[in-house]
Amino acid sequence: MTHGYFLWEDEKEREIMKPYAPLGLLYISAYLKRAGFDVETFDTTFSDRETLVARLAATPGGVIGVYTNLMTRANAIWIAEQAHLHGWTVIFGGPESANYPDDYIERGADVVVLGEGENTLEELLPVLRDRGPHRLHGVAGTVFRDEDGVIVHNDPRDKVNDIDSLPWPDREAIDMAQYVDTWRTHHGMGSVNLITARGCPYKCNWCSHAVFGYSHRRRSPIDCVDEVQHIVERYKPEQVWYADDVFTISHKWLFEYRDEMQRRNMRIPFETISRADRMKKEEVLEALADLGCYRIWIGSESGSQRILDSMQRGVKVEEVQFATKMAKKYGIEVGMFLMWGYEGEELSDIEATIEHVKESNPDIFFTTVAYPIKNTGYYEKVKKKLIFSSDWNNASDRELRVVGRHTKKYYKHADSWLNNAVAAHRLVETDPVASAAKADAAEQARLSLLACADEVDVSEPV
């Protein structure tokens, strides 16, 4: 198995240097090994293309599973090409190929696995051995091309209800020390990732649910504490990253988890992601602080309630502001994600977002311009206005353009307006002169934004 993400080819990540192990592949590796399969994980993160090709050439004729996501479409297709040169059967899985199964079959996949991979691969691999890749009828959760060249979609597969029954990720299959050391070298703290749950039940209409659907299944607090204890003892990181979609979704679980960690005298710094509406109670922030949370990331997206409602976020602006301030009360930093350019956004919505960030005052905030991911509500809303890349192999849903939307220049001015306005607000009491300068810069950015407001993408959709 492999995933096609080469850190050294990612200029932005080389600046950030916060890589994490491919948990999805490691879960599958552990599961298949327990079931008696021979599994090797080739972690491309710190490797290179030449080494991967050499590995494929060393033992031709095997089965390779390739994890796909938005970032790795081109690399996954390239891996399939290289694998076929050496007689390998290619299986694609993950959210990207789940959204475009036919396209990936057309571009080199022998099989696309939809949804969770553990049970599907356990059934699929013996069938591949016995029947080959063109007679996979009845193998739930797969897409393949039959002997007549027709692409066949088998029925979906049920999800794993009891995820405590799954083994922990097979971290011994890769060089975990390299991840921990990279974090420690660049950030002073080694870090290891884990998940305590699968899936998100919320219906934010720009968010993909291609693998887990709208389910939410959580491991027991004891099993999670056992894994954290193992991670700390085995890999000795200074912190962990809980990669759950919504870490505080269940308050009962959170309090039980905190109690079990305290019973074992365990407290390790961590950061994670959650929703503001699941942090409306002060005791939730207190529990996070007890556990060692030093930073919580919140998807605020907008300061306009109108836009949030259009997104089907199910969150109030006031809830984001409360959660941010309450987290700070307990010494927890807040990182905030914001989104420009969602369908229907107007100047007043941008202004509302800027005022919202000033009022919330998060420690960190990042912006992105909304992009429609296949099979999401947002995609369906704008699909008649989408411009697709002429070179699908080397693009991604991030490059999809929406006819009639403002230009990139417009959103760069929005960023400048936001950053300078927030800086002016923060400096007003401590450094009035600097605050005034930032306020002037914010006003210039606002005027620049207004000056290009009529410039929109007028290309025709295809």
Side-chain angles (χ1 to χ4, degrees):
M1 296 188 299
T2 192
H3 54 93
Y5 174 73
F6 298 94
L7 185 151
W8 307 120
E9 296 180 3
D10 187 338
E11 183 178 354
K12 184 172 292 186
E13 184 58 31
R14 291 201 308 271
E15 296 176 4
I16 300 170
M17 291 304 282
K18 292 184 175 182
Y20 277 117
L23 283 183
L25 290 183
L26 301 185
Y27 264 107
I28 292 173
S29 175
Y31 182 89
L32 292 179
K33 284 181 179 178
R34 188 179 68 179
F37 292 89
D38 220 356
V39 184
E40 176 186 341
T41 302
F42 187 99
D43 185 8
T44 54
T45 301
F46 297 105
S47 190
D48 54 56
R49 294 172 185 263
E50 293 75 19
T51 306
L52 175 56
V53 171
R55 175 63 193 87
L56 293 170
T59 55
V63 177
I64 182 169
V66 185
Y67 172 79
T68 63
N69 63 22
L70 278 172
M71 299 171 61
T72 59
R73 178 187 291 174
N75 289 353
I77 293 169
W78 174 82
I79 290 171
E81 293 171 350
Q82 298 300 313
H84 282 308
L85 290 175
H86 299 287
W88 289 73
T89 299
V90 178
I91 303 172
F92 281 164
E96 165 74 3
S97 53
N99 282 329
Y100 292 97
D102 290 25
D103 298 274
Y104 276 90
I105 293 289
E106 295 286 355
R107 290 164 175 81
D110 294 295
V111 191
V112 172
V113 170
L114 307 180
E116 294 173 325
E118 288 91 351
N119 289 338
T120 299
L121 285 169
E122 183 179 14
E123 179 182 354
L124 171 63
L125 291 172
V127 176
L128 272 175
R129 178 194 60 203
D130 297 339
R131 299 189 215 160
H134 303 301
R135 292 185 292 165
L136 303 177
H137 303 83
V139 180
T142 63
V143 179
F144 70 101
R145 191 192 297 275
D146 70 13
E147 292 171 303
D148 295 323
V150 177
I151 295 178
V152 177
H153 289 243
N154 282 313
D155 291 338
R157 183 176 295 272
D158 292 339
K159 296 175 176 59
V160 179
N161 286 324
D162 178 14
I163 61 172
D164 272 351
S165 68
L166 300 173
W168 297 340
D170 184 15
R171 294 183 176 91
E172 295 302 302
I174 64 173
D175 187 355
M176 283 298 301
Q178 194 164 13
Y179 285 93
V180 176
D181 290 345
T182 297
W183 265 84
R184 190 175 288 132
T185 298
H186 291 88
H187 308 288
M189 297 175 70
S191 190
V192 171
N193 56 332
L194 73 152
I195 59 170
T196 73
R198 287 189 173 186
C200 174
Y202 295 96
K203 303 288 177 70
C204 308
N205 66 11
W206 41 260
C207 189
S208 176
H209 290 71
V211 175
F212 298 132
Y214 292 95
S215 68
H216 180 75
R217 293 150 291 148
R218 197 134 205 188
R219 298 163 56 196
S220 68
I222 288 178
D223 188 48
C224 295
V225 176
D226 286 345
E227 185 181 6
V228 171
Q229 185 170 348
H230 168 75
I231 288 170
V232 171
E233 292 173 354
R234 174 68 181 85
Y235 305 110
K236 298 178 173 53
E238 286 79 20
Q239 69 166 42
V240 296
W241 162 254
Y242 294 104
D244 299 36
D245 291 319
V246 188
F247 187 67
T248 63
I249 190 169
S250 168
H251 297 166
K252 179 177 182 293
W253 183 93
L254 180 68
F255 299 147
E256 290 178 359
Y257 183 70
R258 185 264 314 273
D259 293 345
E260 180 62 22
M261 288 283 282
Q262 290 184 333
R263 189 185 71 78
R264 301 192 201 185
N265 295 316
M266 290 177 58
R267 186 179 187 276
I268 181 166
F270 72 93
E271 54 182 325
T272 191
I273 298 175
S274 195
R275 289 169 55 96
D277 62 321
R278 300 309 300 153
M279 295 188 290
K280 292 190 292 186
K281 297 180 179 179
E282 185 169 347
E283 55 264 40
V284 172
L285 280 304
E286 183 180 19
L288 288 172
D290 290 343
L291 283 164
C293 182
Y294 72 89
R295 182 181 297 135
I296 189 83
W297 292 91
I298 300 174
S300 176
E301 313 312 341
S302 178
S304 164
Q305 192 62 53
R306 184 180 70 86
I307 293 296
L308 290 178
D309 292 344
S310 180
M311 291 175 171
Q312 297 179 257
R313 281 286 289 141
V315 174
K316 301 295 185 186
V317 172
E318 295 77 16
E319 291 172 338
V320 176
Q321 295 172 358
F322 173 85
T324 303
K325 293 173 182 178
M326 192 57 62
K328 290 190 164 194
K329 174 181 175 180
Y330 284 93
I332 300 171
E333 292 183 4
V334 175
M336 185 175 285
F337 298 118
L338 301 161
M339 185 182 294
W340 300 129
Y342 188 80
E343 188 73 356
E345 181 184 72
E346 299 176 357
L347 179 65
S348 60
D349 301 306
I350 292 176
E351 292 174 325
T353 297
I354 292 171
E355 292 305 310
H356 166 62
V357 177
K358 287 161 61 176
E359 174 65 23
S360 302
N361 196 27
D363 298 274
I364 311 166
F365 54 91
F366 294 118
T367 65
T368 188
V369 178
Y371 53 90
I373 301 174
K374 184 78 176 290
N375 293 328
T376 64
Y378 177 43
Y379 184 97
E380 292 301 312
K381 184 179 290 191
V382 300
K383 69 179 181 180
K384 292 182 179 179
K385 300 193 291 183
L386 292 179
I387 301 174
F388 295 89
S389 169
S390 58
D391 184 8
W392 187 91
N393 290 14
N394 294 305
S396 78
D397 288 356
R398 287 178 181 269
E399 281 75 56
L400 287 173
R401 292 154 52 204
V402 182
V403 172
R405 190 160 72 180
H406 293 294
T407 61
K408 289 182 179 179
K409 181 169 64 173
Y410 180 90
Y411 297 113
K412 286 183 179 179
H413 291 315
D415 277 343
S416 180
W417 182 8
L418 169 67
N419 292 328
N420 283 293
V422 172
H425 179 74
R426 289 172 172 174
L427 289 167
V428 68
E429 293 185 1
T430 59
D431 192 338
V433 175
S435 175
K438 289 293 183 181
D440 287 343
E443 177 61 13
Q444 288 302 313
R446 186 185 73 85
L447 294 173
S448 297
L449 178 147
L450 291 174
C452 67
D454 292 333
E455 299 175 16
V456 296
D457 195 327
V458 294
S459 303
E460 290 297 322
V462 295

